[in-house]
Amino acid sequence: MKERLEFVKCQDHEVPMLIDVPDSGNQFPAILLIHGFMSGKSNDNHMLQRISQSITASGIVAARIDLCSMGENLCSREQYGMKVMIEEVKASFDYLQSLREVDNKRVGLLGHSLGGRLAFTCSTLPAKVIISLNGAINTQEPINVGYDQKQMQNLGYSIIHTADGRVELLYPRFDADIKATLNNNIEKFTNPILVGVATTDPTLNPEISLNFIKHSGMENVDYFTVDNSDHTYNVESGDFTKLNEVIGKVVPWLKEHI
């Protein structure tokens, strides 16, 4: 596997992209990995990196990005919201399609948590597949990330304590953008969809994904469940058993459908 870091132009800033390329071959399918709320391409004990490496070992290019103000992304935190992140996903998808080693007709999206919401929202892109892992995929409804509303009113921001121990600031733009970007785009998506859901997720209600699976009425939806797992598959504890279970479901499905 060969890994390289590139920077993708998006509006007035750049999106950092780590690209993992298989060792042998000339042109490959590819998938864009999108992290969750207040996370990054290398956060959550390198969860996306572990997924990416397994995908690449199967002969697929995997690219993971840092969204607005997270990780190596230098866009202002005050802009952190769905609108700029949608543009970042679109710019990253287009860039991935343009790479000489990528088959531009076989590029997919994989999102975890808020990244799942972004993947569903960006289903207007010509994605070959879409994968949601514990995704906030109820894109027609606002989501509540549980910030301190009084703090937001008094200070103009709210302090967020992340699952991996960081302290971050959340600004009003996030809430406004969630409401402004409600959509039903996924209903028009006809290519394969895979929804993974941790049935005991304490962070994001698993019923969001389970309800989509039960009630979407879409024949192109596959799914799998994982029991006894938290939102990031217990990786913060150093136990990768559940993440490996997820990888064992995702990679064969992706190879078959992309």
Side-chain angles (χ1 to χ4, degrees), residues 34 109 111 114-124 130-132 136-139 183-187 189 193-195 212 218 221:
I34 312 166
L109 296 169
L114 184 67
R117 189 180 189 89
L118 282 162
F120 270 40
T121 297
C122 293
S123 58
T124 52
I130 289 179
I131 301 172
S132 166
I137 56 177
N138 52 336
T139 59
N183 67 89
N184 62 351
N185 295 345
I186 197 65
E187 294 179 1
F189 188 76
I193 298 169
L194 178 64
V195 177
F212 177 80
M218 299 171 68
V221 177

Side-chain angles (χ1 to χ4, degrees), residues 177-192:
D177 273 14
I178 286 289
K179 294 171 184 173
T181 57
L182 299 180
N183 67 89
N184 62 351
N185 295 345
I186 197 65
E187 294 179 1
K188 303 181 182 78
F189 188 76
T190 57
N191 285 341

Side-chain angles (χ1 to χ4, degrees), residues 155-208:
L155 300 178
Y157 59 82
S158 181
I159 299 171
I160 302 293
H161 295 269
T162 68
D164 56 2
R166 291 172 293 113
V167 176
E168 304 286 1
L169 301 182
L170 184 70
Y171 288 86
R173 172 71 175 266
F174 183 81
D175 222 13
D177 273 14
I178 286 289
K179 294 171 184 173
T181 57
L182 299 180
N183 67 89
N184 62 351
N185 295 345
I186 197 65
E187 294 179 1
K188 303 181 182 78
F189 188 76
T190 57
N191 285 341
I193 298 169
L194 178 64
V195 177
V197 52
T199 58
T200 54
D201 186 346
T203 303
L204 185 71
N205 188 347
E207 290 299 320
I208 291 173

